[in-house]
Amino acid sequence: MDKRFSTLIVSGFSVLLVLGLGMSFFLHQKLQERVDAAAAETLLLDQTRVRLRDAQVDFLVMAQQVADVLIDPDPGIAFGEKNSRRQHAFDNAMLDTSAALAATQNTELKKTLEKLIEHAREIMHPLGEKIIFLAITDLDASKIFYWRGFIPAQAENMALIDDAIRLSSDELRSFSEKANQATVEAQFIARVVFFLFACLGFAIAIFAGRALIHLEQELRLKATYDSLTGLFNRGTIIEILRKAIARHERKANPLSIILADLDHFKQTNDTYGHPVGDQVLREVAERGKQALRPYDSFGRYGGEEFVIVLPDCGAAGAVAIAERVRSAIADRPIATASGAISTSLSLGVAVSDGKNPLDFVNLIQLADGAMYKAKEKGRNRVVCADTSSLKHAFSTPANSVPE
């Protein structure tokens, strides 16, 4: 009797152990599928938003080409060449808008994009062509037609693409919230299952625990790092900067940040395609990391913009580090699937010290202003902001030493 009872207990425990292991494996697979699906969907939504912003820029370029004809109607340039400039910008805008339409599953966004495409093809495109033709034959009539016809049509076009960008951003934010909620629910269910398995036996508890720990670590990594470059994502680098500012205010140690932007990156995407652009971003991130100190923080701020947080670093040190990063990118072409591509960074440096303590907003504003100064001065350079005034930034000379 005792032997049979012991055998029954052992057999039952063995069955429970096998069932527990099977359930743990099944749960692990389902959670992994959720994580991968959420990451893929988030990337797709972000790419849709980037495409729409590219289209917005292309529509503005098209409008500028039409306006340029009215400002300087050079008779030496043939009608076909003038029209080709506008046509090129229009084709790029249509390509980006169509790609965004194909990628989205949002019904309202699809309707807005379809309306935008129809408006651009049926109204904006013919209007631009007609204005260029009139500018060659009758400039005054062309200007009147531009103000009465083209400008209102352009305003409607911009309103449509602004609506599309807003809808895309809302969709991304809504999906992120749902994905976070699903992750919380999945983690809760996983912990309940883990507790039940722990009651069934020590071996089952260990297996389930390891599976959960692995999944939690993976979720934390995907919530912390940018999936394309491996750098800190926007939310994480902003949190790092806020903590560095709090530490800086307590200890009065210097704190610097660098805001960097890839020069002519949209042109790289338009010329070689987004996959090659992604290769460029990954290599820029890798070279940038190698140029920093071990305790500096490097994050992707958005698109082709990056933020570097430099704790315990004054102006001279920050400019030197920024120059190292700039040289690492500009001095050697990047190998891609389409061949070697040369690129560069424009970098803005902002410094907060005991004499000029700055909060988060001021630091970002100063660095952003300095970065745009670098763009204005020809790109591929470092500009250090003057922290004595939030309205003034100055450029460093060729060796990047502050004035």
Side-chain angles (χ1 to χ4, degrees), residues 317-331:
V319 170
I321 292 173
E323 180 59 27
R324 285 206 306 268
V325 173
R326 186 203 63 78
S327 298
I329 306 306
D331 291 352

Side-chain angles (χ1 to χ4, degrees), residues 93-385:
M94 288 294 95
L95 179 64
D96 288 328
T97 306
S98 298
L101 176 61
T104 185
Q105 299 298 320
N106 184 296
T107 303
E108 187 177 0
L109 179 56
K110 276 182 176 291
K111 290 181 179 179
T112 301
L113 291 176
E114 288 169 353
K115 186 176 180 181
L116 173 63
I117 292 173
E118 181 182 3
H119 181 269
R121 285 177 177 167
E122 302 298 327
I123 299 177
M124 289 294 297
H125 182 57
L127 283 176
E129 192 172 57
K130 184 173 182 179
I131 288 171
I132 292 176
F133 178 80
L134 281 176
I136 296 173
T137 58
D138 189 343
L139 182 59
D140 290 336
S142 178
K143 290 181 178 179
I144 293 172
F145 191 74
Y146 174 80
W147 286 107
R148 292 181 179 178
F150 188 83
I151 289 298
Q154 173 70 1
E156 183 178 354
N157 197 67
M158 287 296 99
L160 286 171
I161 199 165
D162 284 342
D163 286 344
I165 292 173
R166 175 184 57 78
L167 289 170
S168 177
S169 299
D170 291 346
E171 183 182 20
L172 178 59
R173 182 167 53 253
S174 175
F175 178 81
S176 297
E177 292 172 354
K178 291 179 180 178
N180 290 336
Q181 181 62 31
T183 300
V184 170
E185 293 174 356
Q187 289 178 328
F188 173 76
I189 294 172
R191 288 188 173 93
V192 170
V193 173
F194 172 75
F195 175 77
L196 293 176
F197 285 171
C199 296
L200 297 177
F202 182 73
I204 301 176
I206 292 177
F207 181 86
R210 287 178 177 175
L212 285 172
I213 290 172
H214 175 74
L215 283 174
E216 287 176 354
Q217 288 176 341
E218 189 169 18
L219 287 170
R220 191 179 299 113
L221 285 175
K222 290 188 177 183
T224 302
Y225 295 96
D226 176 62
S227 60
L228 175 63
T229 62
L231 301 176
F232 290 120
N233 60 27
R234 180 186 177 94
T236 303
I237 196 65
I238 287 176
E239 184 62 23
I240 289 172
L241 177 55
R242 292 188 186 279
K243 290 180 178 179
I245 291 173
R247 179 176 177 273
H248 158 68
E249 291 174 348
R250 290 195 309 269
K251 298 188 176 183
N253 293 333
L255 171 66
S256 300
I257 68 167
I258 300 170
L259 196 60
D261 185 82
L262 268 175
D263 298 326
H264 303 298
F265 185 68
K266 183 181 183 301
Q267 182 178 344
T268 300
N269 275 336
D270 289 344
T271 303
Y272 301 100
H274 286 273
V276 171
D278 291 347
Q279 286 184 281
V280 171
L281 285 173
R282 282 192 290 266
E283 181 62 19
V284 167
E286 185 59 32
R287 292 187 190 181
K289 285 191 290 188
Q290 294 175 3
L292 300 179
R293 302 173 301 178
Y295 45 90
D296 295 331
S297 298
F298 192 16
R300 187 180 180 191
Y301 198 55
E304 64 271 25
E305 281 192 346
F306 304 89
V307 172
I308 303 172
V309 180
L310 307 173
D312 301 324
C313 187
V319 170
I321 292 173
E323 180 59 27
R324 285 206 306 268
V325 173
R326 186 203 63 78
S327 298
I329 306 306
D331 291 352
R332 182 162 48 94
I334 294 175
T336 71
S338 297
I341 296 177
S342 296
T343 189
S344 62
L345 284 174
S346 296
L347 303 99
V349 177
V351 183
S352 180
D353 54 31
K355 296 180 181 179
N356 298 291
L358 300 175
D359 60 14
F360 172 86
V361 173
N362 288 336
L363 264 177
I364 291 293
Q365 285 180 344
L366 278 174
D368 189 64
M371 183 188 73
Y372 279 100
K373 283 286 184 181
K375 294 282 189 185
E376 294 171 0
K377 291 177 179 293
R379 298 180 171 83
N380 189 24
R381 66 190 61 223
V382 177
V383 170
C384 184

Side-chain angles (χ1 to χ4, degrees), residues 1-177:
M1 183 68 177
D2 291 340
K3 185 177 180 180
R4 292 180 181 178
F5 185 70
S6 299
T7 302
L8 182 61
I9 291 176
V10 171
S11 300
F13 183 81
S14 299
V15 171
L16 289 174
L17 179 60
V18 172
L19 289 176
L21 291 173
M23 291 178 66
S24 294
F25 179 78
F26 176 79
L27 179 62
H28 177 276
Q29 291 298 106
K30 289 300 180 182
L31 289 175
Q32 185 65 49
E33 289 173 5
R34 282 194 178 188
V35 170
D36 293 340
E41 185 67 19
T42 300
L43 180 60
L44 182 62
L45 291 174
D46 189 59
Q47 289 174 345
T48 300
R49 186 170 57 174
V50 170
R51 284 282 195 173
L52 288 174
R53 293 195 181 279
D54 288 346
Q56 184 180 45
V57 172
D58 290 327
F59 278 125
L60 290 173
V61 170
M62 182 186 72
Q64 183 62 49
Q65 293 295 337
V66 174
D68 286 345
V69 171
L70 301 180
I71 295 172
D72 184 18
D74 186 355
I77 302 178
F79 166 78
E81 183 176 348
K82 290 182 178 182
N83 195 46
S84 68
R85 297 175 182 173
R86 179 198 58 79
Q87 182 69 45
H88 179 70
F90 174 79
D91 290 342
N92 283 340
M94 288 294 95
L95 179 64
D96 288 328
T97 306
S98 298
L101 176 61
T104 185
Q105 299 298 320
N106 184 296
T107 303
E108 187 177 0
L109 179 56
K110 276 182 176 291
K111 290 181 179 179
T112 301
L113 291 176
E114 288 169 353
K115 186 176 180 181
L116 173 63
I117 292 173
E118 181 182 3
H119 181 269
R121 285 177 177 167
E122 302 298 327
I123 299 177
M124 289 294 297
H125 182 57
L127 283 176
E129 192 172 57
K130 184 173 182 179
I131 288 171
I132 292 176
F133 178 80
L134 281 176
I136 296 173
T137 58
D138 189 343
L139 182 59
D140 290 336
S142 178
K143 290 181 178 179
I144 293 172
F145 191 74
Y146 174 80
W147 286 107
R148 292 181 179 178
F150 188 83
I151 289 298
Q154 173 70 1
E156 183 178 354
N157 197 67
M158 287 296 99
L160 286 171
I161 199 165
D162 284 342
D163 286 344
I165 292 173
R166 175 184 57 78
L167 289 170
S168 177
S169 299
D170 291 346
E171 183 182 20
L172 178 59
R173 182 167 53 253
S174 175
F175 178 81
S176 297
E177 292 172 354

